[in-house]
């Protein structure tokens, strides 16, 4: 019996020592994590003009917006929009963001802008103002078509009018056609 009381006292002392040590340790702090507000797989968003005609279709393989944020992170983003002449512009990038507060979509990570007529534009980042139909890049831009190649310091696309303007210093090379008149 003496031994059991002794072992009980040793056990109680050990527990008190453990509790004292745990109580004296400072708690680890971690940054608060935002909760997911919206998460969508295989998102497709279609916008129409005031007359009900299809104006634009955007798609992404994954979209996620965190709680209390106005931006939505997008992956494998593609925006298809027709200009006034009916020419389709395709803007594609591996990632991007959509900001509801100012109605913009930012394509990032290597943006490819193409039209059916064989014109392709390559830039790192492109910001599309959905309301005005303008897309702007301040990054180096490469334009390629069937017989020319141009490089510039930036790019402005008017998706309503169907025009693309290379801005800043522009350098171009042209190849002559092999056809005879």
């Amino acid at each position: 019996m003496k031994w059991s009381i002794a072992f009980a006292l040793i056990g109680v002392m050990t527990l008190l020592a453990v509790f004292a040590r745990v109580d004296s340790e400072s708690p680890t702090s971690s940054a608060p994590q935002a909760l997911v507000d919206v998460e969508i797989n295989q998102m497709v968003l279609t916008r129409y003009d005031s007359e009900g005609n299809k104006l634009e279709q955007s798609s992404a393989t994954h979209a996620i917006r965190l709680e209390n944020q106005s931006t939505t992170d997008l992956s494998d983003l593609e925006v298809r929009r027709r200009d006034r002449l009916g020419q389709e512009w395709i803007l594609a990038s591996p990632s991007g963001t959509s900001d509801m507060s100012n109605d913009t979509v930012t394509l990032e990570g290597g943006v490819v802008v193409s039209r059916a007529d064989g014109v392709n534009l390559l830039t790192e980042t492109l910001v599309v103002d959905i309301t005005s139909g303008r897309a702007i890049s301040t990054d180096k831009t490469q334009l390629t078509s069937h017989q020319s190649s141009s490089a510039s310091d930036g790019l402005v696309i008017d998706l309503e009018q169907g025009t693309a303007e290379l801005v800043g210093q522009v350098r171009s090379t042209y190849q002559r056609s092999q056809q005879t008149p």
Side-chain angles (χ1 to χ4, degrees):
M1 179 117 161
K2 289 183 187 182
W3 289 105
S4 59
I5 292 175
F7 283 119
L9 284 175
I10 291 173
V12 169
M13 297 288 283
T14 305
L15 282 174
L16 289 174
V18 169
F19 287 138
R21 182 173 180 125
V22 169
D23 204 28
S24 68
E25 289 182 6
S26 62
T28 58
S29 62
S30 62
Q33 302 229 347
L35 298 175
V36 173
D37 190 26
V38 174
E39 183 173 15
I40 301 171
N41 287 317
Q42 303 303 324
M43 179 194 81
V44 176
L45 172 69
T46 305
R47 294 180 189 250
Y48 298 91
D49 63 14
S50 58
E51 291 137 16
N53 299 317
K54 183 177 170 181
L55 177 65
E56 174 187 299
Q57 185 167 350
S58 302
S59 62
T61 57
H62 190 246
I64 188 166
R65 184 176 64 231
L66 300 178
E67 195 173 55
N68 299 323
Q69 291 188 2
S70 65
T71 59
T72 303
D73 293 327
L74 306 163
S75 60
D76 296 324
L77 177 60
E78 182 179 270
V79 178
R80 292 175 173 265
R81 186 168 180 150
R82 292 200 179 276
D83 60 28
R84 289 186 181 180
L85 301 174
Q87 182 78 275
E88 184 177 51
W89 292 76
I90 302 169
L91 297 76
S93 71
S95 63
T97 58
S98 173
D99 191 339
M100 295 181 343
S101 67
N102 59 12
D103 211 13
T104 61
V105 174
T106 303
L107 293 94
E108 302 169 319
V111 182
V112 177
V113 179
S114 58
R115 289 190 332 200
D117 62 359
V119 174
N120 290 309
L121 295 154
L122 305 171
T123 190
E124 188 58 31
T125 303
L126 186 69
V127 178
V128 181
D129 183 328
I130 301 299
T131 307
S132 70
R134 292 175 52 95
I136 299 173
S137 176
T138 56
D139 295 327
K140 300 286 184 193
T141 302
Q142 181 74 34
L143 176 139
T144 56
S145 67
H146 298 294
Q147 296 179 345
S148 68
S149 175
S150 299
S152 70
D153 295 332
L155 169 69
V156 176
I157 302 173
D158 186 332
L159 295 166
E160 293 287 320
Q161 298 298 321
T163 61
E165 177 184 356
L166 298 174
V167 295
Q169 186 177 20
V170 179
R171 296 155 308 281
S172 297
T173 56
Y174 298 93
Q175 294 177 354
R176 279 198 257 180
S177 174
Q178 299 298 329
Q179 297 176 343
T180 55

